[in-house]
Amino acid sequence: YLDSQDYYIAPVRKESRSMMNVTFVTGNADLDRKFASEASAEGLKNLKGHRSVGGFRASCYNAMSVEGVKALVEAMKEFEAAH
């Protein structure tokens, strides 16, 4: 999803990205805080990125279901449409 849109920024070069830890930012610290709050209210927890980078990190290890990934993408799309 990240590569198919222009709202969210993947701060890691495509060839260096992890398949298990997906990182992204909006590019605006206020919007990042708002997304974190809204995502948490929708049950999408523990998205906070690394303390030195900020933004978000979605960990997609074995316990992450396909439905969970779809829920995150849908929340990202809704947030983009609203902001």
Side-chain angles (χ1 to χ4, degrees):
Y1 171 69
L2 285 175
D3 292 331
S4 69
Q5 52 76 55
D6 295 321
Y7 187 80
Y8 299 97
I9 301 162
V12 178
R13 290 187 323 258
K14 190 172 185 173
E15 63 272 9
S16 299
R17 292 182 197 163
S18 167
M19 295 286 290
M20 301 311 294
N21 289 299
V22 180
T23 58
F24 61 96
V25 298
T26 66
N28 178 302
D30 291 333
L31 285 175
D32 282 356
R33 282 188 288 279
K34 188 168 181 66
F35 178 80
S37 176
E38 291 182 15
S40 181
E42 291 186 33
L44 300 168
K45 309 286 185 184
N46 301 316
L47 291 173
K48 185 176 179 181
H50 191 274
R51 67 182 175 275
S52 68
V53 179
F56 306 96
R57 179 181 69 192
S59 294
C60 302
Y61 291 97
N62 292 339
M64 173 56 76
S65 65
V66 172
E67 292 78 18
V69 174
K70 288 179 181 179
L72 174 58
V73 170
E74 188 59 32
M76 292 170 74
K77 289 178 180 179
E78 289 174 8
F79 187 83
E80 176 183 2
H83 300 91

